[in-house]
Amino acid sequence: MRAMTSDTVARSERAAVLPSDPAAFVAEAERISNAAALDELAPIYAPDVVFESTTDGVFDRYAGRDQVVRAWSAILTGMRRSGGEVHKTLLGTTHDAILNDWQGQIAGRLTRGLEYWRFDEGGLVCHHRIYASMSARSSRDPRAVIRLALNWPLLSARMLTAQVRFGAKPQR
């Protein structure tokens, strides 16, 4: 469990300001992503923002607006060059955060993920997390079964056995 720093405590005691229309914020994030509108990234982030990305088990953390914008510039440039497009949907809000999911195609593969956007007292994003699968497939897809078996042999065997035992039949 992560220890609360004085900055974390101080920030959590201040009232966060969410966008007035969270669905419109998510739609704008989708537009910026798909257009790779790099010049529109910096204004949404606080100077001390933290961005964490977990993509297919690879974790990266960036701190500060400059590094976060650079990270997103690399992500969006790669996505654009691969013919990528994502569609984002608002899932919910809390007193200081927006949660959305997304799915799309990048390099011809189905991708899926979640995004968590936490806001500060000035209405800027102070913490942004993304969880992504760049090759999302059903557990009934043989390629997914092989991938899971290679990465997690015991877990995949237990999951497959449990699916059969409980009669779980995921849709493709």
Side-chain angles (χ1 to χ4, degrees):
M1 188 176 209
R2 195 176 89 204
M4 299 268 297
T5 64
S6 59
D7 180 57
T8 305
V9 172
R11 178 167 271 156
S12 67
E13 291 173 354
R14 295 179 274 189
V17 177
L18 288 176
S20 59
D21 184 348
F25 175 85
V26 171
E28 183 65 1
E30 176 183 307
R31 186 194 65 75
I32 290 171
S33 295
N34 290 330
L38 304 177
D39 58 324
E40 297 180 51
L41 291 169
I44 68 169
Y45 289 112
D48 60 345
V49 63
V50 172
F51 170 57
E52 296 172 321
S53 171
T54 304
T55 303
D56 288 340
V58 176
F59 175 79
D60 288 312
R61 183 178 192 275
Y62 302 91
R65 181 187 290 146
D66 181 61
Q67 284 300 306
V68 170
V69 169
R70 288 172 187 263
W72 271 108
S73 295
I75 292 166
L76 296 179
T77 298
M79 188 175 106
R80 181 111 179 182
R81 288 181 179 167
S82 298
E85 182 173 89
V86 295
H87 302 283
K88 301 182 182 212
T89 305
L90 175 68
L91 295 178
T93 62
T94 67
H95 70 286
D96 69 347
I98 291 175
L99 179 67
N100 68 271
D101 70 351
W102 57 269
Q103 69 177 22
Q105 293 272 331
I106 298 176
R109 291 184 170 187
L110 176 63
T111 61
R112 300 178 68 98
L114 293 169
E115 279 181 285
Y116 166 86
W117 309 79
R118 186 167 172 227
F119 295 83
D120 67 11
E121 68 283 352
L124 297 174
V125 176
C126 61
H127 197 164
H128 185 187
R129 289 183 184 149
I130 187 167
Y131 301 93
S133 174
M134 302 308 286
S135 184
R137 294 187 172 100
S138 166
S139 63
R140 296 175 64 140
D141 184 315
R143 294 169 295 181
V145 173
I146 291 168
R147 179 178 172 205
L148 189 59
L150 290 172
N151 289 311
W152 298 94
L154 185 57
L155 174 63
S156 64
R158 288 178 175 163
M159 286 174 53
L160 182 58
T161 301
Q163 280 184 342
V164 171
R165 179 178 171 207
F166 295 108
K169 297 178 182 175
Q171 298 176 351
R172 284 195 184 255

